[in-house]
């Protein structure tokens, strides 16, 4: 009996996207598959995706990676939240991971809090988010709460060096049989009848044949765009920033367990503390800020001296019309770009890899699988897009860029969500949405969008009972955080690459 030839998966491009795909495929696919990755060290990677959201822990756990080993290998630190500074005319707030308060049966906590605000007995929302309180105190722990069982376990993510993460995953994938080819992609061959890709051609007259191709070639989109001709949906009318500059600086003394996004006249600036350095960048609209002005603003805002020159990045927010065309699936920047305001770049790679594994087509062309993949990918990117638009639209800054953002028409779904919140205090999470109702709550409140009402069930307890309940939750959070170690001490105990990290 003839043995079927293995199913050949070709990953075009390395970096974070390519090696995340290769690592996951090598972990979960069996002997009937071969995985080949092609990349060129002469082609640089974008490398700005150094902040993540908690789902990255699921990816690493699925690979069987030891968390402390990962932290050490990637010079990682822990992340509890994102701090937004200056988005509302000088104010600041946090979008923290995890729960805010405690629901009471069917009644979401936000309604109890809104009733407390109306009665004058509620503290700011941040007091009821354990992650927020811990982040502002520069403290960190993992595992169940120590002081009260009613408190949730703190979810967390990481800041890490994306280049080191790709190297870490490369070692993992190659140890599991992934074959890497160094070289530039010069051309591709397509089947004249089906239009599917047959092979990619490399320098040195080399040819790599495949059955399924994963396009991880970044903004160039060599396969999904250039070869398959899939168009691009441009969202720059909603998200007008089109350029970024990135530069590392020396390790910050202010070693925070959160990312910071600081608004400026024509965009925002990020700060991401790692063990060995701090990642910094400025995102801006070129129509409102020149490249030279952006570079000067970026360098002037660093905590510590720069470790190089700013690296430029040009982009247009949007997505491919289809992430999967023929036998090509785009991952990462090949599939689209949304600025890293909410640290979603690496997560979108992760979720795409998960979809590839779930909907792996095999040797037959199965349009329903492809259609389902494309619907899911489009829904995910559009809902993340709306969450980012909210930050820009709900501002009260008095500069031309910000006035334009405030005056731009909203996508229908976002306008409906804002209207529902304003009138009723309700937030509905649709199936497949990445961000929870608690995430939306923190940004809506943080950006100054107030709710005029709350659920009628929140009016049933007497004022004193509401006050006591809210006071207890805030005190439990404060007590739990008080016994946590500092963030730097925690890193030192759980994955420090440098023995002096706690200094």
């Amino acid at each position: 009996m003839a043995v079927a030839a293995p199913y050949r998966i070709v990953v075009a491009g390395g970096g974070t996207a390519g090696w995340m795909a290769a690592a996951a495929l090598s972990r979960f696919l069996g002997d009937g598959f071969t995985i080949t990755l092609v990349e060129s060290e002469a082609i640089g990677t974008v490398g700005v995706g150094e902040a993540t959201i908690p789902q990255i822990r699921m990816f690493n756990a699925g690979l069987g990676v030891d968390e402390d080993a990962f932290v050490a290998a990637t010079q990682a630190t822990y992340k509890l939240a994102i701090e937004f500074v200056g988005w509302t005319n000088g104010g600041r707030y946090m979008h923290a991971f995890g729960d805010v308060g405690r629901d009471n049966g069917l009644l979401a906590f936000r309604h109890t809090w809104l009733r407390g605000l109306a009665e004058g007995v509620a503290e700011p929302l941040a007091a009821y988010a354990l992650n927020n309180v811990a982040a502002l105190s520069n403290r960190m722990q993992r595992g169940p709460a120590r002081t009260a069982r009613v408190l949730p376990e703190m979810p967390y993510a990481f800041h890490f060096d994306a280049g080191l993460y790709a190297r870490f995953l490369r070692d993992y994938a190659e140890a599991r049989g992934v074959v890497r080819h160094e070289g530039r992609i010069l051309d591709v061959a397509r089947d004249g009848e089906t239009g599917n890709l047959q092979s990619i051609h490399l320098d040195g007259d080399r040819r790599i044949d495949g059955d399924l191709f994963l396009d991880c070639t970044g903004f160039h989109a060599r396969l999904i765009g250039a070869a398959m001709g899939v168009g691009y949906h441009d969202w720059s009318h909603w998200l007008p920033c089109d350029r970024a500059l990135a530069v590392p600086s020396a390790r910050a003394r202010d070693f925070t367990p959160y990312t910071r996004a600081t608004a400026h006249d024509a965009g925002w600036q990020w700060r991401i503390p790692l063990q060995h350095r701090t990642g910094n960048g400025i995102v801006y609209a070129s129509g409102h800020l020149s490249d030279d002005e952006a570079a000067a603003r970026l360098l002037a805002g660093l905590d510590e001296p720069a470790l190089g020159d700013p690296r430029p990045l040009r982009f247009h927010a949007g997505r491919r019309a289809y992430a999967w065309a023929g036998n090509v699936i785009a991952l990462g920047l090949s599939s689209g770009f949304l600025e890293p305001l909410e640290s979603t770049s690496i997560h979108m790679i992760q979720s795409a890899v998960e979809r590839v594994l779930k909907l792996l087509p095999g040797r037959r062309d199965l349009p329903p699988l492809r259609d389902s993949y494309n619907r899911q990918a489009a829904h995910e990117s559009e809902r993340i897009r709306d969450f980012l638009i909210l930050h820009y639209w709900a501002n009260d800054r008095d500069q031309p860029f910000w006035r334009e953002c405030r005056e731009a028409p909203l996508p229908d779904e976002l306008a409906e969500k804002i209207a529902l919140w304003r009138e009723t205090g309700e937030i509905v999470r649709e199936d497949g949405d990445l961000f929870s109702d608690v995430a939306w709550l923190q940004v809506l409140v943080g950006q100054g969008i107030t709710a005029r009402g709350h659920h009628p069930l929140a009016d049933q307890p007497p004022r004193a009972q509401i006050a006591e309940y809210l006071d207890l939750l805030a005190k439990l959070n404060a007590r739990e955080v008080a016994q946590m170690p500092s963030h730097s001490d925690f890193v030192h105990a759980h994955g420090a690459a440098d023995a002096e990290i706690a200094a």
Side-chain angles (χ1 to χ4, degrees):
M1 180 176 178
V3 178
Y7 185 79
R8 301 163 299 178
I9 300 177
V10 178
V11 182
T16 308
W19 286 113
M20 285 183 73
L25 294 172
S26 68
R27 167 68 176 84
F28 293 107
L29 298 184
D31 294 337
F33 298 83
T34 64
I35 303 158
T36 303
L37 184 142
V38 176
E39 68 175 340
S40 172
E41 293 182 353
I43 300 175
T45 58
V46 173
V48 300
E50 294 176 323
T52 59
I53 60 177
Q55 285 86 338
I56 189 66
R57 295 174 55 208
M58 297 170 60
F59 183 83
N60 286 343
L63 297 182
V65 167
D66 176 78
E67 186 168 282
D68 288 359
F70 153 78
V71 169
T74 62
Q75 296 277 357
T77 61
Y78 294 85
K79 175 182 173 183
L80 299 175
I82 305 171
E83 182 184 40
F84 292 93
V85 180
W87 291 75
T88 52
N89 200 24
R92 62 177 64 210
Y93 71 94
M94 279 194 172
H95 169 197
F97 302 137
D99 294 336
V100 176
R102 187 176 176 86
D103 294 349
N104 185 6
L106 294 175
L107 186 66
F109 172 78
R110 59 181 171 272
H111 294 291
T112 301
W113 178 73
L114 288 169
R115 162 82 191 287
L117 280 183
E119 297 284 0
V121 297
E123 294 188 39
L125 190 65
Y128 308 105
L130 181 59
N131 274 48
N132 198 322
V133 178
L136 288 176
S137 300
N138 281 355
R139 294 176 180 269
M140 173 64 198
Q141 73 181 17
R142 60 189 181 193
R146 298 342 187 230
T147 64
R149 286 186 296 176
V150 298
L151 290 176
E153 182 173 326
M154 287 200 313
Y156 59 90
F158 305 98
H159 308 118
F160 58 70
D161 185 313
L164 293 179
Y165 188 48
R167 188 183 309 169
F168 180 80
L169 294 177
R170 174 181 169 178
D171 291 343
Y172 177 98
E174 289 186 318
R176 287 160 178 78
V178 173
V179 176
R180 175 187 179 274
H181 292 272
E182 166 68 28
R184 289 179 176 269
I185 299 173
L186 301 181
D187 199 4
V188 303
R190 296 178 66 183
D191 184 281
E193 182 177 343
T194 66
N196 284 351
L197 249 62
Q198 292 179 319
S199 60
I200 57 177
H201 298 175
L202 311 181
D203 49 10
D205 198 27
R206 293 172 293 162
R207 167 177 169 160
I208 308 294
D209 297 320
D211 299 301
L212 179 68
F213 294 82
L214 304 184
D215 187 348
C216 302
T217 61
F219 287 127
H220 297 293
R222 293 293 304 274
L223 306 188
I224 196 74
M228 303 300 290
V230 176
Y232 194 78
H233 292 325
D234 192 327
W235 292 337
S236 55
H237 53 294
W238 285 314
L239 296 168
C241 289
D242 60 354
R243 296 190 184 180
L245 295 169
V247 67
S249 62
R251 183 169 71 88
R253 285 166 288 185
D254 187 14
F255 198 56
T256 58
Y258 54 88
T259 309
R260 180 176 296 141
T262 303
H264 61 78
D265 292 355
W268 60 282
Q269 184 168 330
W270 75 75
R271 176 187 179 276
I272 301 172
L274 309 180
Q275 291 189 39
H276 61 318
R277 61 176 173 83
T278 299
N280 308 277
I282 187 168
V283 179
Y284 59 103
S286 60
H288 292 270
L289 191 68
S290 72
D291 296 342
D292 289 342
E293 290 171 325
R297 187 186 296 271
L298 171 61
L299 294 173
L302 301 182
D303 295 338
E304 302 292 339
L307 299 178
D309 296 324
R311 293 171 44 242
L313 174 67
R314 297 188 178 190
F315 56 87
H316 290 286
R319 67 170 176 86
R320 291 283 156 192
Y322 304 103
W324 181 351
N327 62 339
V328 175
I329 303 176
L331 306 181
L333 297 177
S334 298
S335 67
F337 182 82
L338 289 169
E339 60 194 72
L341 182 60
E342 283 282 353
S343 306
T344 53
S345 300
I346 289 177
H347 172 75
M348 293 180 76
I349 298 169
Q350 175 182 340
S351 62
V353 171
E354 181 182 353
R355 278 193 295 274
V356 170
L357 285 166
K358 287 182 176 179
L359 301 176
L360 196 66
R363 299 185 187 279
R364 292 188 296 154
D365 182 32
L366 299 173
L369 287 180
R370 188 164 55 240
D371 293 344
S372 177
Y373 185 101
N374 285 326
R375 281 195 300 270
Q376 292 177 48
H379 179 84
E380 177 184 55
S381 60
E382 288 167 3
R383 298 292 76 76
I384 294 173
R385 174 203 67 190
D386 288 355
F387 196 57
L388 301 187
I389 292 171
L390 173 62
H391 297 68
Y392 282 101
W393 177 81
N395 79 86
D396 56 8
R397 295 178 63 100
D398 191 24
Q399 291 97 19
F401 169 82
W402 292 99
R403 288 197 295 271
E404 289 178 14
C405 292
R406 193 162 57 242
E407 294 166 1
L410 293 173
D412 291 343
E413 296 88 345
L414 177 57
E416 292 170 5
K417 188 179 286 283
I418 293 171
L420 181 65
W421 161 254
R422 276 179 162 163
E423 292 301 320
T424 68
E426 191 56 76
I427 301 170
V428 176
R429 184 184 190 183
E430 304 291 345
D431 289 342
D433 287 0
L434 171 61
F435 291 106
S436 67
D437 55 347
V438 170
W440 280 91
L441 171 67
Q442 292 176 88
V443 176
L444 286 164
V445 172
Q447 298 278 158
I449 304 178
T450 57
R452 291 189 279 267
H454 53 260
H455 197 286
L457 285 176
D459 289 322
Q460 293 186 351
R463 179 179 185 275
Q465 184 176 333
I466 292 288
E468 182 181 12
Y469 179 68
L470 292 173
D471 181 62
L472 175 63
L473 290 177
K475 286 180 176 177
L476 288 175
N477 282 340
R479 185 177 69 180
E480 179 70 11
V481 169
Q483 56 80 42
M484 295 180 186
S486 71
H487 178 226
S488 58
D489 286 346
F490 191 84
V491 173
H492 184 67
H494 299 283
D498 182 348
E500 298 181 359
I501 196 69

